[in-house]
Amino acid sequence: MHMDLGAAPGVPTVLYTQRQHELDTLFSSLPTPARSLEGCWRGRLMAIRGFGWLPRVFARMLYALLGTPLNPWSGKSFANGTGANRWFGVRGAAFGRFRVVEQAMSPVDQQPVVWLDYDVPENPRLLRHIRGEARQLGNGLILARMNWKTQRGLYRVLYFTLVPG
Amino acid sequence: MIASDVIVIGSGFGGAFAAERLTAAGARVTLLERGPWRDTPSVRAAGVGPRSPLPRGFGFFGRALRSLNLPLLPGGRLRLNAHGLFDLHLGREISVVCSSGVGGGSHVYSAMNVRPAVPDYWRERADGIDTAMMDAHYDAAITRMGARIPDASVPNFIGTRLQQNPLLRPPSVESQPAMGFRFESSTFTDNSFFGCHDGSKVTLDSLLLLPALARGLQVHDLHEVALVGPVRDGWCVTAYDHRAKVYRHLTASRVVLAAGTLNTLRLLFASRDAGALGAVPALGLGVGGNGDVPAYWRCNTADADYSRGTPCHGRFGLRDIAPGSEDDVDLTAYGLNGIDGVPMPEALRRALKRDLILVGMGADQANGLATWTGGRLRLHYSRTANFVLARIYRAFDRIAARSARPVYFLRHWPLTVHPLGGARVGDDPQQAVLDGYGQVHGVSGLYVADAAALPAAPGAPPSMTVAAWASHVAAGIAAQG
């Protein structure tokens, strides 16, 4: 079932100025999406690991830049329990596929989450280390986190938002 | 993550009254205030800190202004000093001055504690409110403020000072506004727009919040809220801690917005844009400025020192205007109280002490509109569609003509210190944002307890109307348990 989206929400700019550890707290408190994720969603990156030293004003500028077509990653699409990253447009090339688990428990904060598992045969070996988590920030606004799985555990890589594309 | 029963955003007449009442009812309340604790005698004595000084002396200009909001600025806003006292919002159609700090507007207001000039102000506004109920809240708030009418012993009290002026008609002492002011201990200096240094003015930090701290109220100053949204177990408030320079996320089952009209509207618009509130079709409707028209009367009264006295010298009318007639607008006079703390040449200071600030006020139509574009709040307000402004302009013109002394005011650019509306109360969600208990229509657990909720202009200083409304909202929340 699709979410009842209405007009696509705006992404609050305050998200772009937050560090990863600050967004961790917000992310842990969010509910899972009220409806299954389906269709194309436009993405915006933020709180990238390694950039926490940037002054907030520059971080905001960086993430604003990454929200322009200069960044080839445009978002994600979802269909029937699977999904793919979209490049060069929200309906552009699909690369980096994942399986969607809707009733999962986050190994990071032990709270319910929609789990995006990149360990699927279509992906190159490197991408299979990615584990995504998604929760609902508002009606039609998803806050998600990309983790990197190693033998020692999960490492948070970045956050991103998704709005209907 | 800090969890509470209720998070109150803002500590002015809405936030402080709501937080105090909820704390007294046994709720775990966290209050967030974007400004600092002010270094006033009672706060200092209570040992609360760190505190920020009120603007005075050489630090005056650095501490006076917190931010400048201009449409032309990148991002619409220039933050100058998180500890500053005033925010200045300059708009094409109306401009607004408001303050920040624990205690909110009580530090800078004129201390007038009055009911609305509009009779039956709360009558038939929404289910859940009635006049008798609100009268009880007014009584309690005015009593709590310790408000009383000044007498002739107060320096520059208008009832006596201007009695002989052939132009002005001071109303009887009985119809002067009651003031939340410690008359017995006051030095009658330094107690007005730039804050009160000697504790004469009854401010909400000392009156309500310090005692509530002892009962468990948590106050986080210098926490500027940026976003409010629903989470798994209630609401999450995202606030920037200016002291630690980090974002904090606080959760509670209920959130009360009382950040001042403009900031409350910003939060509601931002949250609506983020998909957190639903459509809220009436958001932004019914904005007004309470008919404020400030003016400077270069009356140059010989031997006068109008800077002494209570924050407001009192109410007056014009002798040639019949009481109760259409042109009989509400006028109040103020000296430049606190001017001794502002660095300036002595000759200029002496000259300014002989002049008066006049403020005209009246129930405007509150028919303006607040809009939200690209993360910027804009106020649309028609000067000509709010008739009371023209009446006040005429009154000032009369004063200037009859006294042969200029009265300076912004005839084409409304300026208010009492913005209101935009999230008004009413039963119809197409016309009003809040129900009769202050909760956003269709959004459980989110309340508004400041002047943004007001359904019309009170036409008089609105502090007690906001306090009464906040008390009503808090009582409703407390009754739910």
Side-chain angles (χ1 to χ4, degrees), chain B residues 5-352:
Chain B
D5 297 327
V6 185
I7 293 172
V8 176
I9 302 169
S11 63
F13 283 94
F17 270 86
E20 193 267 348
R21 179 144 193 169
L22 288 164
T23 304
R28 289 177 307 155
V29 180
T30 299
L31 186 149
L32 303 177
E33 164 57 49
R34 68 200 166 110
W37 284 97
R38 296 294 173 192
D39 189 24
T40 55
S42 51
V43 175
R44 203 178 311 132
V48 174
R51 303 174 297 274
S52 294
L54 291 159
R56 197 164 199 262
F58 289 114
F60 177 85
F61 294 105
R63 293 178 193 136
L65 210 52
R66 182 179 189 276
S67 73
L68 183 61
N69 295 262
L70 258 176
L72 298 175
L73 288 172
R77 181 165 79 154
L78 180 64
R79 185 183 295 127
L80 301 165
N81 177 4
H83 298 252
L85 188 57
F86 292 105
D87 288 301
L88 195 52
H89 304 259
L90 299 175
R92 280 199 194 96
E93 295 169 45
I94 188 168
S95 293
V96 177
V97 181
C98 53
S99 68
S100 73
V102 177
S106 68
H107 287 286
V108 300
Y109 85 136
S110 60
M112 287 189 277
N113 297 149
V114 297
R115 294 161 190 266
V118 177
D120 284 336
Y121 178 82
W122 287 105
R123 191 171 169 215
E124 294 181 1
R125 295 294 187 187
D127 288 344
I129 322 173
D130 63 56
T131 302
M133 173 196 299
M134 294 306 290
D135 275 347
H137 288 308
Y138 279 103
D139 289 343
I142 291 170
T143 303
R144 195 72 196 269
M145 296 299 293
R148 70 175 175 83
I149 295 169
D151 57 36
S153 68
V154 171
N156 290 312
F157 176 52
I158 208 162
T160 48
R161 188 72 171 86
L162 297 178
Q163 197 69 51
Q164 305 309 316
N165 190 310
L167 178 63
L168 309 182
R169 167 177 50 82
S172 62
V173 168
E174 291 74 28
S175 61
Q176 288 292 341
M179 294 185 191
F181 195 79
R182 299 183 178 96
F183 293 93
E184 292 75 15
S185 58
S186 179
T187 59
F188 297 105
T189 57
D190 270 0
N191 60 40
S192 191
F193 311 116
F194 307 125
C196 182
H197 294 86
D198 67 0
S200 302
K201 188 153 58 174
V202 177
T203 54
L204 300 175
D205 49 354
S206 64
L207 181 74
L208 300 180
L209 299 177
L210 289 176
L213 286 178
R215 291 198 298 271
L217 173 68
Q218 299 283 317
V219 176
H220 298 285
D221 67 337
L222 288 168
H223 277 58
E224 186 164 13
V225 176
L227 193 64
V228 174
V231 291
R232 216 171 21 250
D233 306 316
W235 289 86
C236 180
V237 172
T238 298
Y240 184 68
D241 178 348
H242 285 282
R243 191 172 284 118
K245 303 199 181 309
V246 295
Y247 280 96
R248 302 192 192 282
H249 302 280
L250 301 92
T251 58
S253 50
R254 296 183 181 93
V255 170
V256 177
L257 300 179
T261 296
L262 299 196
N263 290 313
T264 289
L265 291 179
R266 281 194 184 98
L267 288 173
L268 287 170
F269 275 115
S271 298
R272 185 181 75 172
D273 260 18
L277 305 183
V280 199
L283 184 56
L285 298 179
V287 168
N290 203 32
D292 284 6
V293 185
Y296 185 82
W297 186 18
R298 185 82 180 89
C299 53
N300 194 26
T301 308
D303 77 356
D305 177 1
Y306 288 129
S307 73
R308 297 199 68 233
T310 44
C312 172
H313 291 332
R315 185 183 284 150
F316 68 95
L318 301 182
R319 283 196 196 273
D320 59 352
I321 302 293
S325 68
E326 186 181 275
D327 276 355
D328 183 31
V329 291
D330 189 29
L331 301 170
T332 44
Y334 308 75
L336 282 165
N337 200 316
I339 198 172
D340 286 328
V342 183
M344 66 176 67
E346 201 51 42
L348 176 61
R349 193 193 315 277
R350 278 198 303 273
L352 293 175

Side-chain angles (χ1 to χ4, degrees), chain A residues 10 17-18 28-30 56 139, chain B residues 231-232 245 247 249 273 275:
Chain A
T17 60
Q18 293 188 52
S28 289
S29 69
L30 296 177
R56 291 183 195 273
N139 189 18
Chain B
V231 291
R232 216 171 21 250
K245 303 199 181 309
Y247 280 96
H249 302 280
D273 260 18

Side-chain angles (χ1 to χ4, degrees), chain A residues 8 22-23 37 52 55-56 76 78 90 98 108 120:
Chain A
E22 293 165 346
L23 285 177
L37 297 173
R56 291 183 195 273
K76 292 183 189 294
F78 299 84
V90 77
F98 51 83
V108 179
V120 294

Side-chain angles (χ1 to χ4, degrees), chain A residues 28-45:
Chain A
S28 289
S29 69
L30 296 177
T32 53
R35 309 272 174 86
S36 298
L37 297 173
E38 294 286 336
C40 295
W41 295 69
R42 189 171 298 281
R44 288 284 299 264
L45 301 176

Side-chain angles (χ1 to χ4, degrees), chain A residues 8 75 99 135:
Chain A
R99 183 172 61 93
R135 289 179 177 138

